[in-house]
Amino acid sequence: MAALLELADVDARYGPIQALHGVTLSVEEGEIAAVLGANGAGKTTTLRAISGTVRRDGTLRFAGRALHGGPDATARHGIAHVPEGRGTFAELSVWENLRLGAYSRRASKEDFARVQRYFPWIESRRSQQAGTLSGGEQQMLALARAFMQRPRLLLLDEPSLGLAPLLVTEIFRIIRELNEQEGLTVLVVEQNAHIALQLAQTAYVLEVGRVALAGPSAEVQQHESIRRSYLGY
Amino acid sequence: MSRGLVTRLGVIAVAAGIVIVLGFRLSDYHLGLGARIAIYFIAILGLNILTGYTGQISIGHGAFMAIGGYTTALMSYYHHTDLLLTLPLALAVCFVCGLAVGIPALRLSGVYLALATFALAVSIPQLPLKWSKWTGGSNGIRTFTSPGNNWLYRVCWICAGIAFVAAWLLLRGRTGRAFRSIRDSELAAASSGVSLPIYKTLAFGVSAAFAGVAGSLFVLVTNGYAQPNEFGVLLSLQLLIGAAVAGLGSLYGTIVGALFIGLLPQISTSVPLIGSGHGQDVVFGLIVILVMILLPNGVAGLLGAIDSRFKSAIKSDPTTS
Amino acid sequence: MLGLSRKTKVSTGASLPVIVGIAAACIFLLVGCLVSNIFAQQTVAGLAQGAIFASLALALVLIYRATEVINFAQGELAMATTYIAYQLTLWHVSYWLAFFLTLVISFVLGAVVYGVLIRPVQHRSVIALVIVTVGLFILIDGLVTWKWGADLKFMPAPFGNNVYHAGGVSFSRQDIGVLLVSILSVILLWVLFQFTKLGLAMRAAALRPAAAALVGIRVDWMLAIGWGLAAVLGAVAGLMTEPSQFLQPTMMQAILLYAFAAAVLGGLESPAGSVVGGLAIGVFLNLIGQYVGYATSELRLPIAFAVLLVVLLLKPTGLFGRRQVRRV
């Protein structure tokens, strides 16, 4: 069976600077895949290339169809992208943020109920301005909004960024729940390799815009250089 | 002397030569038009110092021209002051007015500065209507003497020459560097010791002084009449258009900007496509929009781009190495 | 609609002293109206004029919020669309049908202006944007003068010339009608933005274009719709101006200037502020004109702009603006 998302030989550039050099990766339906790497390795750019927020070349296939067009078209195809820094609408209310998540389809009461099952605190904060939430709450709101999109694939960019360890654990627990109970496919970019490898079934390690290592998480975890450079043991 | 400087001096010499030769060749009507272009040149030069070099937008330079123009008209009408003497006076008055506007403008930037200066452009020309007892209201006030077009052409272009040299001297030195650093980044300028209040206010003052001289001469080319209508919002808008077409931050482009706003209305009147007199606005508006969309850095930017492409073509050509 | 099922919190962004000040001003006006008939008449006439300023100011604010452009051509667009309505009535279309047809045409016109002229320069400097709208100003002015001429034109009056008397005060039907139509259009727009999915998407696209695209919003379309709606508001302002000034190419120029002052007074980013600002300036100018002998009609514009300058210097965010957390 073909993978849900396939990238073959994808390049991406910011003006004259090439950030990705022939990246190839695939994400199976129902799995969690992680992209690891140092700062500037091209992790974020990989997600941007998928959602079309950066100029890219190469073959990108999603659910058997070629992906092209801008970020709005990608979103309508069923890919939700939670960017680095969360991308919540700080000026709008929590509730409006959720409604925006369901922008490209008709949202039902059920959708909101499901969101509340995973993020119970949201109900009591619905009319609060999103910008006044704490960092962890904003990250969860971004997740909840992406979930409202009912995506077939969720792209997550550094969900742990700037959060306290306890919150990071909480967020990754929710991601795992969404994956296991809702069958949500996730491609997560993470600086924190340790927690990402625990979560993901497959992992890709990027170095200066190229895939340096790929395979099941357990194997990647055992790899000598990974352990030294990212896991620290 | 560097090669660049020699070319520039050459260009200036050729331009000056053309101006002088035209002075002997043109008809009386066209001398008047030539004088007008010199006036636009001075005003755009001033606006360019403020907007192009210091990065402070102004849609209000018509107001400074009005102040300069009324200075000349009032002095000449009531005190019979020699017209040439009113020029430095207009310069001084507008310099002070510019400083006075510059101080509050320190608190504003971007669109807000645009709106505030626009408010000046609208309000100042209304004031002579209010004080019509002294200023003649909407009929305007006339200078005691009004010189002919030949005299005007010479005086205007001499002033334009002086203004150009003054601007060049000002911008190439320490002050010019301070201006440009403010345009590029106020934060970086301030942290490297450039005093924002002093230099921004100074830029307003100098810029207004140029506009004042231009306004003063402007009154002379309109038969010596200072009228509120002549200094309306459209004049301010034209100056900004001229500066943008010239390429903000380019002294040499200024002449193109002056020619553009001086000649285009004349040329577009005769465009057969539309025929009637109102066609000029249609053509003028269209060209302004097209220039802005197609030439982001004005004509000067276009020339610069051609120049650098030409140079890189020479560099990459193996036969020249 | 899901949003309607819940109470939606509406925040104006006005601080407490501002609200108190506005309340005090309202009480002052109310007392004045009860005490003096002339005061009441001038206040109502001022509100009617202010409603027109408010419509145009709101159009400016809509566009500023969506695309950070100060549209100097807003008034000319409004003027041009009013001429379109005039042309329709010449073809024997009834006034109100012409009115609504004109609104539709303005919407298309506004959206096209955005797509063709503004989008190419949108990410350039403030100066470039200002100049493009100035060019559009001159272009529209030329086109209208060329097509219809610079002389005065007349259109059937939508509200008739009746005058109502209430306790010694006379209100023209005209003023009341203008006030009602303007206020109604503002309310409809508010409902669109606050309670519909389209309105929400438009706000999102204006606030955070990148994030909006990621949830599937076609940002360019939303901005074009914003420009279209602004043009519709402008058309309402133009059509409501016509009965008192008649049609001429310069009819909206002064009104645009008052609308600038109103928009800045309310805070360039605040729709509610621009409406309050417009009404305030309309009433203020009328009362000053009535009671302050020195403030003759030549000083109307300078006074409005003195207000603008004072607001910019003392409180650049305007009465209703909140301190902006600007994206960099």
Side-chain angles (χ1 to χ4, degrees):
Chain A
M1 194 193 84
L4 181 65
L5 176 76
E6 282 177 291
L7 270 63
D9 224 9
V10 169
D11 294 344
R13 46 177 61 251
Y14 297 100
I17 299 155
Q18 187 159 1
L20 294 185
H21 304 266
V23 166
T24 298
L25 62 77
S26 68
V27 181
E28 300 292 331
E29 183 112 50
E31 78 164 339
I32 298 181
V35 176
L36 312 175
N39 273 333
K43 305 188 297 291
T44 295
T45 310
T46 306
L47 295 195
R48 289 191 178 157
I50 297 167
S51 68
T53 28
V54 64
R55 281 184 75 92
R56 81 280 212 220
D57 294 304
T59 317
L60 296 96
R61 296 184 71 79
F62 177 67
R65 285 197 301 170
L67 261 188
H68 41 72
D72 51 328
T74 315
R76 287 191 298 273
H77 278 128
I79 298 180
H81 182 175
V82 176
E84 205 175 8
R86 299 157 194 140
T88 44
F89 298 89
E91 299 85 347
L92 302 179
S93 71
V94 168
W95 187 244
E96 287 171 328
N97 267 279
L98 290 182
R99 278 171 65 203
L100 279 171
Y103 174 76
S104 44
R105 48 189 209 89
R106 189 169 286 279
S108 64
K109 283 242 153 57
E110 222 170 287
D111 291 314
F112 289 96
R114 275 179 0 148
V115 161
Q116 267 146 28
R117 193 154 70 237
Y118 294 98
F119 307 92
W121 58 274
I122 276 183
E123 173 65 26
S124 60
R125 313 287 278 282
R126 54 192 297 155
S127 53
Q128 192 174 339
Q129 217 187 352
T132 62
L133 296 172
S134 73
E137 289 165 342
Q138 286 196 30
Q139 184 64 61
M140 286 195 223
L141 176 60
L143 259 180
R145 194 194 62 207
F147 186 53
M148 280 297 288
Q149 260 173 277
R150 307 234 44 200
R152 291 186 67 185
L153 172 66
L154 174 64
L155 307 177
L156 274 179
D157 200 345
E158 299 239 17
S160 73
L161 191 76
L163 298 183
L166 219 61
L167 275 170
V168 174
T169 319
E170 169 72 4
I171 289 197
F172 276 83
R173 183 187 61 76
I174 296 174
I175 296 170
R176 186 189 296 274
E177 264 181 26
L178 289 175
N179 172 255
E180 284 170 359
Q181 296 174 16
E182 307 281 341
L184 183 63
T185 312
V186 180
L187 178 61
V188 59
V189 152
E190 201 31 88
Q191 189 85 258
N192 184 339
H194 189 68
I195 194 162
L197 285 172
Q198 279 183 348
L199 180 77
Q201 286 99 51
T202 317
Y204 295 84
V205 179
L206 290 188
E207 266 164 24
V208 276
R210 292 181 173 82
V211 177
L213 186 65
S217 297
E219 281 175 31
V220 170
Q221 199 156 10
Q222 294 310 310
H223 205 276
E224 193 60 33
S225 67
I226 294 301
R227 277 172 46 186
R228 263 211 313 275
S229 13
Y230 300 113
L231 298 173
Y233 60 86
Chain B
M1 268 207 291
S2 69
R3 223 193 89 218
L5 192 62
V6 174
T7 356
R8 280 174 186 187
L9 286 175
V11 171
I12 294 171
V14 171
I18 293 174
V19 167
I20 292 168
V21 171
L22 284 178
F24 292 105
R25 294 265 153 182
L26 289 176
S27 68
D28 194 51
Y29 168 78
H30 285 110
L31 281 176
L33 189 60
R36 248 170 211 272
I37 290 169
I39 292 166
Y40 288 137
F41 179 80
I42 298 169
I44 294 174
L45 211 52
L47 182 57
N48 217 337
I49 290 174
L50 183 66
T51 304
Y53 284 87
T54 322
Q56 309 295 304
I57 190 173
S58 166
I59 321 184
H61 263 51
F64 294 121
M65 282 183 73
I67 293 171
Y70 269 93
T71 305
T72 289
L74 291 172
M75 288 308 288
S76 173
Y77 183 81
Y78 289 109
H79 301 289
H80 299 191
T81 314
D82 188 290
L83 292 176
L84 285 179
L85 283 182
T86 65
L87 292 179
L89 196 65
L91 180 132
V93 169
C94 285
F95 181 71
V96 173
C97 289
L99 294 182
V101 170
I103 292 167
L106 288 173
R107 296 186 45 145
L108 304 171
S109 62
V111 249
Y112 291 95
L113 188 58
L115 280 172
T117 52
F118 185 66
L120 282 182
V122 173
S123 310
I124 299 287
Q126 295 283 315
L127 296 181
L129 296 176
K130 176 64 194 171
W131 298 313
S132 51
K133 214 189 295 174
W134 299 285
T135 59
S138 62
N139 292 327
I141 183 167
R142 193 171 186 189
T143 52
F144 181 63
T145 50
S146 56
N149 282 342
N150 210 342
W151 185 91
L152 280 169
Y153 183 86
R154 285 178 203 172
V155 169
C156 289
W157 277 108
I158 289 170
C159 287
I162 295 171
F164 184 81
V165 173
W168 185 69
L169 289 176
L170 179 77
L171 291 171
R172 70 192 287 266
R174 197 183 145 78
T175 316
R177 271 202 307 281
F179 285 171
R180 280 191 293 273
S181 70
I182 291 173
R183 173 192 64 193
D184 295 340
S185 161
E186 295 200 358
L187 202 65
S191 58
S192 51
V194 173
S195 161
L196 293 185
I198 289 180
Y199 282 103
K200 281 166 94 173
T201 317
L202 182 69
F204 255 101
V206 170
S207 176
F210 276 69
V213 172
S216 178
L217 293 167
F218 193 68
V219 162
L220 300 183
V221 292
T222 50
N223 288 324
Y225 274 106
Q227 274 176 316
N229 285 348
E230 297 281 347
F231 295 106
V233 178
L234 196 64
L235 180 63
S236 295
L237 297 180
Q238 276 182 329
L239 294 181
L240 189 66
I241 289 170
V245 167
L248 290 163
S250 155
L251 279 187
Y252 299 90
T254 304
I255 186 65
V256 182
L259 286 170
F260 183 81
I261 59 174
L263 292 181
L264 191 63
Q266 310 285 327
I267 295 169
S268 49
T269 316
S270 54
V271 169
L273 186 73
I274 296 171
S276 81
H278 306 298
Q280 83 172 56
D281 284 348
V282 178
V283 176
F284 190 53
L286 264 183
I287 292 182
V288 167
I289 293 171
L290 285 179
V291 167
M292 285 323 292
I293 292 178
L294 300 177
L295 305 178
N297 300 313
V299 174
L302 178 71
L303 293 179
I306 293 173
D307 191 42
S308 63
R309 184 165 296 182
F310 181 66
K311 275 182 189 147
S312 69
I314 291 174
K315 242 179 232 164
S316 61
D317 188 352
T319 55
T320 55
S321 59
Chain C
M1 208 70 244
L2 285 154
L4 275 174
S5 62
R6 298 278 171 152
K7 209 178 112 222
T8 311
K9 215 179 108 200
V10 182
S11 62
T12 54
S15 60
L16 190 64
V18 170
I19 293 173
V20 171
I22 291 173
C26 289
I27 293 170
F28 167 74
L29 288 178
L30 209 63
V31 172
C33 290
L34 292 174
V35 171
S36 154
N37 289 340
I38 294 177
F39 190 96
Q41 255 162 262
Q42 288 295 337
T43 304
V44 172
L47 282 175
Q49 257 181 14
I52 292 171
F53 302 161
S55 304
L56 205 59
L58 184 57
L60 291 169
V61 167
L62 275 187
I63 282 182
Y64 183 72
R65 277 171 63 108
T67 44
E68 298 194 8
V69 178
I70 295 285
N71 186 6
F72 280 82
Q74 196 72 56
E76 300 307 280
L77 267 170
M79 177 270 291
T81 48
T82 313
Y83 269 93
I84 291 172
Y86 163 76
Q87 188 64 51
L88 289 172
T89 56
L90 280 192
W91 292 333
H92 304 291
V93 179
S94 72
Y95 183 89
W96 288 107
L97 183 57
F99 182 95
F100 288 110
L101 279 177
T102 303
L103 298 192
V104 173
I105 295 168
S106 342
F107 180 83
V108 175
L109 198 62
V112 167
V113 163
Y114 169 75
V116 176
L117 301 182
I118 303 299
R119 217 163 72 91
V121 290
Q122 200 181 338
H123 299 293
R124 296 232 295 271
S125 64
V126 172
I127 298 170
L129 282 164
V130 164
I131 292 174
V132 168
T133 64
V134 165
L136 184 63
F137 178 113
I138 299 172
L139 174 66
I140 294 175
D141 206 45
L143 281 174
V144 169
T145 318
W146 170 52
K147 176 80 182 69
W148 285 287
D151 49 335
L152 286 180
K153 296 276 190 289
F154 304 93
M155 245 167 100
F159 305 110
N161 296 318
N162 291 358
V163 174
Y164 295 123
H165 299 280
V169 189
S170 20
F171 304 109
S172 76
R173 200 178 134 134
Q174 163 76 25
D175 282 351
I176 309 277
V178 166
L179 195 56
L180 286 180
V181 169
S182 306
I183 297 292
L184 187 69
S185 57
V186 168
I187 290 175
L188 282 177
L189 203 72
W190 178 73
V191 168
L192 170 76
F193 274 100
Q194 214 62 37
F195 297 113
T196 70
K197 193 166 162 176
L198 177 67
L200 180 60
M202 288 175 68
R203 281 189 287 151
L207 290 167
R208 314 241 150 168
L214 286 180
V215 296
I217 295 170
R218 292 176 170 95
V219 174
D220 281 341
W221 290 21
M222 293 304 138
L223 301 185
I225 293 173
W227 273 73
L229 288 176
V232 169
L233 269 176
V236 171
L239 286 160
M240 292 299 106
T241 305
E242 189 278 329
S244 58
Q245 294 202 352
F246 310 115
L247 279 158
Q248 51 181 325
T250 54
M251 63 186 269
M252 296 307 283
Q253 288 176 3
I255 292 177
L256 176 73
L257 304 179
Y258 295 123
F260 275 148
V264 170
L265 176 62
L268 259 185
E269 308 231 3
S270 162
S274 68
V275 173
V276 173
L279 294 173
I281 285 190
V283 172
F284 179 69
L285 286 176
N286 260 29
L287 292 180
I288 286 263
Q290 175 73 28
Y291 291 105
V292 182
Y294 187 76
T296 46
S297 63
E298 295 91 37
L299 281 189
R300 272 173 73 93
L301 269 179
I303 288 173
F305 275 94
V307 171
L308 183 149
L309 285 178
V310 168
V311 173
L312 279 181
L313 293 176
L314 296 182
K315 198 166 182 300
T317 52
L319 293 180
F320 283 65
R322 55 192 104 189
R323 193 118 42 85
Q324 277 297 307
V325 192
R326 271 258 161 255
R327 51 183 190 269
V328 184

